[in-house]
């Protein structure tokens, strides 16, 4: 018996949709599924590239490599410092106040301005055999030890401090009535000037220094020299008085500046 062929679709009439059928070997027709009807026309899914994730990954890698490079440089610098220290045993320079003469130290007639004229000698020693210190100009300030009242300022010129060398620095501290004091400072200074034991003074010297090691020069580093224990006597007339400097001790500290902060 011949196999009959049925049409797979009937034309739509009166607005109705044609139904699609399929023919099997057993001459049985089944309606087509939705996957068969719409699967061929559905567009293939294409995943979008994940740009944000790749961008974040690049940033993370950059941060990691930057951190690794910085840590490596710090490690190399520390290693170089250890090698230099072991080979040359660098020591800090020492400072000593060898003379401190007060020519004038009094309040003006207005009783709110200070008149100061002090001459001093400072001896500095470089104990290193191969290190040379190159100093910038040194700013000096003298204050009272107890209340930090400014007595006067001064400047020392720049100089080169050779290896195993002792250098004598001469400077002066002045305040020609330009500094105006508040009432509490005036009262305290009057009391100190009348004291029999003299006025306790403190001196601070700030500068920047560069180290020269054979053909190598280091960047400039800030230092502060603080000298305490100066006993100054106020002169009565035109004859200058010598302050007691036998118990003066000076210490040298590094001054490292990071942005706005100084350590």
């Amino acid at each position: 018996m011949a196999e009959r062929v049925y049409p797979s679709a009937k034309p739509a009439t009166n607005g109705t949709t044609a139904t699609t059928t399929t023919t099997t070997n057993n001459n049985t027709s089944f309606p087509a599924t939705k996957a068969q009807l719409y699967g061929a026309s559905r567009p293939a899914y294409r995943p979008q590239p994940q740009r944000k994730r790749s961008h974040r990954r690049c940033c993370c890698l950059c941060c990691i490599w930057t951190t690794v490079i910085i840590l490596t440089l710090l490690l190399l610098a520390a290693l170089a410092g250890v090698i230099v220290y072991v080979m040359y045993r660098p020591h800090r320079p020492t400072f000593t106040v060898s003379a401190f003469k007060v020519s004038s130290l009094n309040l003006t007639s207005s009783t709110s301005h200070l008149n100061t004229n002090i001459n001093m000698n400072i001896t500095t020693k470089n104990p290193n055999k191969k290190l040379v210190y190159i100093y910038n100009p040194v700013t000096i300030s003298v204050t009272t030890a107890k209340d930090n009242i400014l007595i006067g300022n001064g400047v020392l010129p720049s100089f080169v401090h050779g290896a195993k060398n002792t250098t004598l620095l001469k400077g002066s501290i002045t305040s020609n009535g330009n500094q105006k004091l508040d009432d509490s400072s005036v009262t305290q200074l009057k009391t100190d000037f009348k004291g029999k034991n003299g006025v306790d003074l403190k001196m601070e010297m700030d500068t920047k220094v560069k180290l020269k090691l054979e053909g190598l020069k280091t960047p400039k580093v800030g230092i502060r020299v603080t000298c305490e224990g100066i006993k100054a006597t106020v002169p009565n007339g035109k004859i200058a008085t010598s302050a007691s400097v036998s118990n003066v001790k000076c210490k040298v500290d590094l001054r490292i500046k990071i942005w706005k902060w100084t350590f």
Side-chain angles (χ1 to χ4, degrees):
M1 185 176 182
E3 181 179 351
R4 294 183 181 180
V5 179
Y6 297 92
S8 60
K10 293 182 180 181
T13 59
N14 299 327
T16 59
T17 304
T19 303
T20 304
T21 60
T22 57
T23 303
T24 62
N25 293 331
N26 296 327
N27 299 327
T28 305
S29 299
F30 297 96
T33 60
K34 292 183 177 180
Q36 291 174 330
L37 291 175
Y38 303 105
S41 61
R42 184 179 298 175
Y45 174 74
R46 295 180 181 178
Q48 296 295 327
Q50 299 178 353
R51 297 181 179 178
K52 293 184 178 180
R53 183 173 297 178
S54 60
H55 181 69
R56 291 178 181 176
R57 184 179 180 183
C58 291
C59 291
C60 292
L61 289 176
C62 290
C63 292
I64 292 173
W65 279 109
T66 302
T67 304
V68 171
I69 292 172
I70 292 174
L71 292 177
T72 303
L73 292 176
L74 292 176
L75 181 60
L76 292 176
L79 183 60
V82 171
I83 294 174
V84 171
Y85 179 80
V86 172
M87 292 179 60
Y88 298 98
R89 296 286 181 177
H91 297 280
R92 296 182 182 184
T94 59
F95 291 82
T96 305
V97 180
S98 53
F100 198 91
K101 292 185 177 181
V102 182
S103 298
S104 62
L105 184 60
N106 52 54
L107 295 169
T108 59
S109 57
S110 61
T111 68
S112 61
H113 292 76
L114 185 64
N115 186 17
T116 304
N117 188 6
I118 299 173
N119 296 314
M120 59 184 176
N121 294 340
I122 300 172
T123 304
T124 176
K125 296 180 179 181
N126 181 5
N128 301 284
K129 295 181 180 180
K130 296 184 179 181
L131 287 179
V132 177
Y133 291 104
I134 304 174
Y135 289 90
N136 278 9
V138 184
T139 58
I140 308 173
S141 62
V142 176
T143 61
T144 58
K146 183 179 179 181
D147 303 301
N148 287 326
I149 301 173
L150 183 61
I151 299 299
N153 296 311
V155 179
L156 294 174
S158 58
F159 65 97
V160 178
H161 202 183
K164 282 293 182 178
N165 181 266
T166 300
T167 303
L168 178 63
L169 306 174
K170 295 183 177 182
S172 60
I173 302 296
T174 59
S175 177
N176 299 323
N178 296 326
Q179 179 188 350
K180 188 175 181 180
L181 304 174
D182 53 30
D183 294 338
S184 60
S185 299
V186 171
T187 303
Q188 186 62 46
L189 285 178
K190 286 182 177 180
T191 303
D192 294 339
F193 291 166
K194 294 179 181 179
K196 295 181 180 180
N197 297 326
V199 184
D200 293 332
L201 300 179
K202 178 178 67 175
M203 182 174 61
E204 290 182 345
M205 295 180 286
D206 292 306
T207 185
K208 288 185 177 181
V209 61
K210 181 189 299 184
L211 274 68
K212 181 180 179 182
L213 178 60
E214 296 179 354
L216 178 65
K217 291 183 180 180
T218 64
K220 294 180 180 179
V221 179
I223 65 170
R224 168 171 288 183
V225 182
T226 304
C227 301
E228 296 181 329
I230 303 172
K231 291 279 188 178
T233 303
V234 178
N236 291 327
K238 295 182 179 180
I239 301 175
T241 60
S242 297
S244 175
V245 294
S246 59
N247 296 323
V248 175
K249 295 181 179 181
C250 299
K251 64 177 182 178
V252 181
D253 296 319
L254 293 177
R255 303 280 289 175
I256 301 175
K257 187 174 183 180
I258 302 177
W259 289 301
K260 297 181 180 180
W261 297 276
T262 304
F263 303 92

